Amino acid sequence: MAIAEHEVLIERDAMAVYQYLLDPTNLPAWRNDVRSVNLVRGPAGSKGAVYRKMVAGRSGLSIPAELEITNVRPGAEIEFHIVSGPATRWGGYYLSSEETGTRVRFAMEAERQGRFSFLSRLGLLDGMLQRRVSSDVAQLERLKDVLELQPAV
């Protein structure tokens, strides 16, 4: 199991940040490993909505993964579960308003699944998975750049 979190202060109001994060089709703009995202079932941006994302694999080929929104609290929280792909992941964005903007914390935990999961039980792939999860949450810095470059509404 791998666990990581990262937080940034974004100079935008909480609802603007929340609305942007609530739409997973925005992921390719700030996540360097996500190539595309499409809604496959459920109402967009709501609990139970499932999105298929194509992520870059090590060989350069795209790997499909499905993301399900599991909890939403407007302006404050979005939680999700990656239900398919090389590792099962649970995560969330947690927002809090501050005087100069919105503090966003991105937390994630992952567990390797599939044919190589036995290697994780032996502790052989834990370091790789931990580095990947830590890298994923650190991309929150890119979200800050993307949102602060957009004109405020």
Side-chain angles (χ1 to χ4, degrees):
M1 168 118 4
I3 300 171
E5 64 179 57
H6 190 79
E7 68 178 48
V8 295
L9 180 63
I10 299 175
E11 295 178 8
R12 293 288 178 262
D13 70 274
M15 281 311 288
V17 175
Y18 173 81
Q19 289 298 330
Y20 189 85
L21 288 170
L22 190 58
D23 183 357
T25 63
N26 289 322
L27 287 172
W30 66 277
R31 295 278 310 271
N32 64 11
D33 60 327
V34 179
R35 294 187 170 157
S36 65
V37 179
N38 295 302
L39 178 67
V40 292
R41 117 176 126 257
S46 65
K47 181 178 178 178
V50 176
Y51 295 82
R52 176 165 292 122
K53 61 182 189 166
M54 298 301 286
V55 296
R58 278 188 267 149
S59 64
L61 299 174
S62 292
I63 300 169
E66 287 192 350
L67 175 150
E68 178 181 1
I69 296 176
T70 59
N71 189 41
V72 292
R73 228 177 65 210
E77 182 177 302
I78 303 165
E79 293 180 329
F80 60 87
H81 178 206
I82 306 296
V83 294
S84 68
T88 298
R89 297 171 189 231
W90 301 265
Y93 307 107
Y94 305 93
L95 290 67
S96 58
S97 294
E98 294 192 7
E99 195 171 303
T100 58
T102 303
R103 181 151 313 271
V104 180
R105 182 173 60 91
F106 182 11
M108 186 183 301
E109 61 182 68
E111 185 173 82
R112 188 159 305 279
Q113 299 291 312
R115 64 181 186 209
F116 296 112
S117 63
F118 74 94
L119 292 172
S120 285
R121 286 191 295 276
L122 298 173
L124 299 175
L125 295 178
D126 288 347
M128 281 177 44
L129 186 58
Q130 184 63 54
R131 283 189 298 277
R132 179 61 193 249
V133 171
S134 295
S135 171
D136 286 351
V137 297
Q139 289 185 56
L140 200 58
E141 296 291 337
R142 292 184 67 199
L143 174 68
K144 174 182 172 63
D145 295 340
V146 167
L147 289 178
E148 289 181 354
L149 287 174
Q150 292 181 350
V153 247

